[in-house]
Amino acid sequence: MIYRLTGLDVIGEPDPIDVRIRFYADPPYSTYGQRPEDFPRVHAKPGVPSKHRYKFDDALCLWYPLDPEERRWTSSKGLLDLIEIVRTHLFLEHYWRLTGGEQGGQWLVEDAPHGIPESGAWRSSRRHKRRTAAGPGPRPPR
């Protein structure tokens, strides 16, 4: 299923932005243990520099896949919530480019880490939630 938004207004952007949101029944990309309907692909302003896009298809990286559900979008929150996340992300990209982009541009909100731990812990969101709810765990001896 594809939703096409024509002319999304984004603060700071001089022109409205076209956005494509695509949901897959069987995604051709990893959903990191999330349901496919909770991990759509969103594209806007193809090819512009960005700190948070997937390199292989230029989709917006809108949340950290290993975050607990309350910190990321899920289909139960509705399409309007997703559109507002996209609008905010596009504003943050624009501001990051205006303030220097790759040469020290500023991302105005908390930055999620890049990459997925290789331990395999991402495969189970239940395990991840337990780990994050319990805190970082004991510190290693110095």
Side-chain angles (χ1 to χ4, degrees):
M1 178 181 329
I2 299 175
Y3 291 93
R4 295 182 194 279
L5 306 172
T6 303
L8 183 68
D9 287 323
V10 175
I11 293 173
E13 286 283 0
D15 299 313
I17 298 171
D18 293 340
V19 176
R20 186 185 76 206
I21 301 170
R22 185 169 186 170
F23 291 88
Y24 291 88
D26 185 20
Y29 51 86
S30 177
T31 62
Y32 307 101
Q34 296 175 39
R35 299 176 317 169
E37 61 268 26
D38 292 344
F39 210 84
R41 271 307 199 242
V42 179
H43 291 89
K45 293 191 77 159
V48 299
S50 175
K51 187 175 185 179
H52 293 287
R53 291 195 182 207
Y54 291 96
K55 293 190 185 321
F56 59 90
D57 69 352
D58 202 35
L60 306 182
C61 181
L62 299 169
W63 53 81
Y64 184 58
L66 302 185
D67 272 345
E69 191 171 305
E70 62 271 8
R71 291 198 54 148
R72 56 185 164 77
W73 181 82
T74 60
S75 56
S76 64
K77 295 174 183 170
L79 191 58
L80 290 178
D81 269 12
L82 179 58
I83 292 168
E84 286 308 313
I85 290 169
V86 170
R87 185 189 316 268
T88 299
H89 183 94
L90 292 170
F91 163 74
L92 293 169
E93 280 188 345
H94 179 71
Y95 189 84
W96 176 79
R97 286 189 298 274
L98 283 176
T99 58
E102 298 286 342
Q103 284 70 48
Q106 187 178 13
W107 195 263
L108 291 174
V109 298
E110 179 185 1
D111 239 343
H114 290 104
I116 301 297
E118 295 194 26
S119 69
W122 60 267
R123 288 190 178 98
S124 168
S125 59
R126 180 173 290 132
R127 204 172 346 161
H128 176 71
K129 286 179 186 177
R130 257 198 317 268
R131 186 180 48 134
T132 56
R139 292 184 182 188
R142 292 182 187 203

